[in-house]
Amino acid sequence: MLNPGYTTLSKFAIEQIPAGPNARDLASLLVDVAAVTKAISAAVRKGPLLGLSGLAGSENAQGEAQKKLDLLSDELFTRGIEWSGLVGALASEEMDEVRMVAGRGRLALVYDPLDGSGNLDVNVAVGSIFSVLELPEGAVGPEAVLQKGARQVAAGYAIYGPSTELVLTVGRGTHGFTLDREIGNYVLTAPDMRIPARTSEYAINSSNRRFWEPPVTRYVDECKAGREGPRGRDFNMRWVASLVADVHRIMVRGGVYLYPRDQRDACREGRLRLMYEGNPMAFLVEQAGGLASTGRGRIMDVEPAALHQRVPVIIGSSEEVERIDLYHREYDCGEDQPYSSPLFAERSLFINT
């Protein structure tokens, strides 16, 4: 049962959100988002029991279940947030365009309603990711949502695993809450989460190796070489293929997560969406003492050009992110290759030919 001295999400929001013209609305919005994640958690827990009439036993039942939960989660966000009058705009992975909301709301909520849903059929943890921005005064169009991640006023994710947890930042550290189902409330269980600067764990999808840029291949090869290699210690590789689950592991015990730029499509900078995956995760990681980079710059400094813009994402323990950034700089400058020239090779004037 809940200890009366524990901090609930509502109490946290009231105490921790910085003063400002939208502070009260932001606190209320976070409580509403939390309520939505509780509903999504309940739906995810049902799994195959969700009541997919006519799908049981069909060849595509799992795919249809995944699609239904994606759309249901998006609908829960829309219905749970739009009515409140707190937001002036909504945008999600499931929407083609920004949805402007009539009213006085000066906040924008950008979200991925069910990240990692492709793992539902194997019962792996999935989650919801969200970002909150303030709309500029007088802004009435969708372009007002296209702001750098550095302008976020809050960000977080819910992870639906053995327990449902909500990890949140309002710019004053990163904090973890656990859903107490007996009372239906999120309770602060991991205040001021900190990511260790040093780690021996990395997460990357190795099946994409043939598409990686040389600095990423260099980094992974050094990790794989272990204590006999240039790093002088052994590394573990982890990959869940659920962004929320992979990042949550880093939040709890450190590590680095890479979904780098690859060379499959020259027109596509990365694979993850900037607005509702890269930016909110970057905000959370930085507030926990980690770093978040594209390999060539800070994620939260990227100027968004489109709602569904994609970027490379390298986030986690600061020492590892800094090293990967260094490898990108050296590669871009040509300094990652040892200099070799037959003209200046070692010779002796006394060698008989």
Side-chain angles (χ1 to χ4, degrees), residues 66-282:
Q66 172 191 332
K67 181 179 178 181
K68 179 167 183 173
L69 275 171
D70 278 335
L71 297 177
L72 173 61
S73 299
D74 190 62
E75 184 180 350
L76 287 169
F77 262 101
T78 303
R79 284 169 34 194
I81 303 301
E82 189 175 26
W83 67 272
S84 66
L86 300 171
V87 298
L90 290 170
S92 88
E93 183 182 22
E94 302 296 330
M95 298 180 186
D96 293 330
E97 298 177 350
V98 176
R99 181 174 183 149
M100 302 306 294
V101 180
R104 65 171 185 84
R106 303 311 307 160
L107 298 173
L109 181 69
V110 183
Y111 57 93
D112 183 348
L114 196 61
D115 175 79
S117 58
N119 285 316
L120 286 169
D121 58 342
V122 290
N123 205 24
V124 169
V126 296
S128 302
I129 310 171
F130 63 91
S131 167
V132 184
L133 297 156
E134 291 180 320
L135 295 172
E137 286 298 326
V140 294
E143 64 280 356
V145 176
L146 299 180
Q147 303 178 36
K148 293 194 300 185
R151 297 191 61 183
Q152 294 173 103
V153 293
Y157 64 79
I159 180 168
Y160 312 120
S163 61
T164 293
E165 298 185 35
L166 182 69
V167 177
L168 175 69
T169 183
V170 293
R172 292 181 169 179
T174 298
H175 310 275
F177 300 78
T178 302
L179 179 60
D180 186 331
R181 297 189 183 279
E182 293 183 9
I183 64 168
N185 212 337
Y186 279 107
V187 177
L188 182 65
T189 51
D192 197 22
M193 303 174 79
R194 305 301 295 173
I195 298 173
R198 182 181 172 90
T199 183
S200 295
E201 194 165 280
Y202 68 100
I204 193 168
N205 183 357
S206 291
S207 68
N208 292 329
R209 178 187 175 89
R210 65 193 185 279
F211 303 118
W212 294 342
E213 290 186 292
V216 175
T217 304
R218 175 186 175 186
Y219 175 77
V220 173
D221 285 349
E222 288 183 355
C223 292
K224 290 171 67 176
R227 67 179 62 189
E228 292 79 18
R231 302 300 304 276
R233 67 181 191 272
D234 292 331
F235 282 75
N236 291 322
M237 201 281 280
R238 300 286 185 264
W239 181 254
V240 181
S242 168
L243 175 61
V244 169
D246 280 314
V247 172
H248 189 66
R249 183 182 58 250
I250 290 170
M251 284 289 184
V252 172
R253 68 186 193 195
V256 62
Y257 170 94
L258 302 92
Y259 212 134
R261 177 182 180 182
D262 63 41
Q263 302 175 65
R264 272 175 288 187
D265 186 348
C267 298
R268 178 179 286 184
E269 279 292 305
R271 308 293 294 180
L272 298 181
R273 277 81 167 185
L274 171 65
M275 295 297 294
Y276 39 85
E277 291 175 320
N279 276 340
M281 288 305 196

Side-chain angles (χ1 to χ4, degrees), residues 302-316:
V302 175
E303 288 280 3
L307 177 62
H308 299 291
Q309 179 177 340
R310 298 173 188 259
V311 292
V313 171
I314 301 165
I315 54 180

